[in-house]
Amino acid sequence: MVSLDIDADAVVTLRFMPPYQPQDERDYLDALHRIGKRQEPYTLLTVFGGGRALSPAGEREQALWFKATRERVSLFCRACAIVRPDASETTADVFRRLWPFPIVAEREEAAGRAFLLLHHSGMSI
């Protein structure tokens, strides 16, 4: 299951969780494209269930998305929390090489949300 939600506080939440469905990869990639088009400040919470990898074509499209949207995401995103069962500092470091804003990798969603709250103030450009 993939979902993309934007709450009133401009927290963009992308979930990629079980039960997995055949259309999940396409839904995930489409959600990335929606995030990449965003033109107002936000914080990003990604919640992954683990156990589901993208196909080689999906990996390529995701990599191209990172490249194509790097400037815009860097401009509008204020912080990112990555929540995964296997989250580690290494996970966060990979994404810190892509983006200049604060990034944390956590195993619990509550910890990720708490991190984003620290970066929520001053959400103007």
Side-chain angles (χ1 to χ4, degrees):
M1 174 204 68
V2 174
S3 65
L4 180 64
D5 299 303
I6 303 167
D7 71 17
D9 290 327
V11 176
V12 175
T13 303
L14 172 60
R15 294 181 189 281
F16 193 163
M17 304 288 295
Y20 297 117
Q21 303 294 321
Q23 75 278 3
D24 283 349
E25 179 172 287
R26 181 75 265 146
D27 291 347
Y28 167 73
L29 295 167
D30 289 347
L32 286 182
H33 290 293
R34 285 184 54 205
I35 292 168
K37 291 178 182 177
R38 197 165 163 82
Q39 295 187 40
E40 51 195 30
Y42 63 97
T43 57
L44 179 61
L45 175 66
T46 62
V47 183
F48 298 102
R52 176 80 187 247
L54 296 177
S55 69
E59 289 283 350
R60 177 169 162 54
E61 186 172 337
Q62 178 181 249
L64 290 171
W65 176 84
F66 280 116
K67 184 176 180 180
T69 63
R70 182 177 180 164
E71 185 176 319
R72 179 175 289 170
V73 171
S74 295
L75 180 62
F76 293 107
C77 187
R78 297 296 178 250
C80 176
I82 303 160
V83 178
R84 296 174 20 174
D86 62 347
S88 68
E89 193 61 23
T90 302
T91 304
D93 284 341
V94 168
F95 291 93
R96 288 179 186 132
R97 288 192 290 271
L98 294 169
W99 291 316
F101 44 80
I103 297 172
V104 70
E106 297 286 353
R107 293 178 183 207
E108 299 294 328
E109 185 172 337
R113 286 193 178 277
F115 172 80
L116 294 180
L117 282 174
L118 296 173
H119 301 282
H120 188 266
S121 62
M123 289 270 289
S124 62
I125 294 219

